[in-house]
Amino acid sequence: MSTSLRPNHLVLISFCIVLLFGCVAPVGGWNTSQLEEYGATLAHYSGQRLDDTPPYFFPDGDSALLFLCRFETQQPVRVSLPDNATQDQLIGLRLALEGWSEAGLGLRFVEVPSAEANIEIRLVDPAADLNPKQGPRGQAGYTTSDCHVGHDSDSASTSPGVLPAALVHATVLLWPTRADMIGRPVALSADEFVGVALHELGHALGFSGHLANDAGVMSKSTDVVRVYGRGLRKGRGFASPTLAALYALPSGTVLGRVAFAPGEAQVWERASQLARSSGWEGLFVRVGSSHASIFWRDGRRSRAVLRVPGYRDMLVAKTSLRFGSGPFEKMLRSHSQPAE
């Protein structure tokens, strides 16, 4: 999908915005500037804001390691496109994929059936009643990305500095409509659709948050995202120093630690023991803009999930991590075992 792109005016615009708003403080409770080993690498990406994304986490003793996770670049990332998309929508999705392949991340994409995909893009029926897993009404896009953590022992600290972790799957949900100011559905313009696809693919590639200074395609501002979509449709590429910085670091790069609340490390230990004794597949970590979870899959592909509601807020406030209160967590806290 490689094409020759004309000079990118958006790069200049983005650079000017960064000069104006680059002093906006990161919203996270973590700090990539402490990565002394990669200081020279990160210095190449002026304006990068990796600290704006909530990192992934891996339980390790009485605390959890915070780390970055991305797709490996040695092989193409396999992507499936929605069967119900129009020809114009397919053109827009391929344009967004091409934009990321030309953004300096070292990524290549190849289209495959959904069963073989690393990134599955779905087009949601706007008339359907959406359940919470698909995001609220009026939301033009919603993405989940799953990071697989491989480990040879109970402790992740056997690999100091970098965990054996990489993204393995992401699901991108796109709505062809958005809600107007009074809640009525309005069809997305071509610029909006391409911009939303570009933005959600950025989440799928490992950046779970939004830029606090709104100066890039990962801005939470729909107006900014639309500008990037328009630029792609006019043949201009774009730059994302934040995603480029993410892909310049090894997947699994550890940023620091956060403590568990009293008793929560034992919840993790019981879950880990149960997963091993049951032969479950995993471990997987999923981090969204506010919540997070770790999970395993059994032989029927059902998931056993430890959720962390309010994960991002806990990190920002520098408070201890606490798991949720769902059935699985309650069972683990009660020391009971699931019924046969």
Side-chain angles (χ1 to χ4, degrees), residues 162-286:
V162 179
L163 295 178
L167 290 180
V168 292
H169 188 266
T171 300
V172 176
L173 301 180
L174 298 175
W175 283 260
T177 63
R178 59 174 173 80
D180 65 11
M181 295 184 64
I182 60 174
R184 297 174 302 185
V186 178
L188 294 182
S189 68
D191 291 347
E192 288 173 323
F193 183 80
V194 173
V196 169
L198 193 67
H199 177 93
E200 294 302 323
L201 283 169
H203 288 317
L205 295 176
F207 189 82
S208 300
H210 293 99
L211 298 177
N213 62 359
D214 283 337
V217 69
M218 298 314 296
S219 165
K220 60 182 176 294
S221 166
T222 55
D223 291 333
V224 172
V225 170
R226 182 176 64 250
V227 169
Y228 278 85
R230 181 184 307 133
L232 274 185
R233 294 187 64 247
K234 290 183 177 296
R236 299 192 294 266
F238 71 99
S240 176
T242 298
L243 269 292
L246 172 62
Y247 274 76
L249 299 177
S251 186
T253 296
V254 175
L255 303 178
R257 285 183 179 269
V258 60
F260 277 120
E264 297 302 271
Q266 287 69 38
V267 174
W268 152 253
E269 290 172 2
R270 292 171 196 140
S272 182
Q273 291 169 3
L274 181 59
R276 286 197 304 271
S277 63
S278 303
W280 292 343
E281 177 190 1
L283 176 105
F284 301 93
V285 186
R286 178 179 293 180

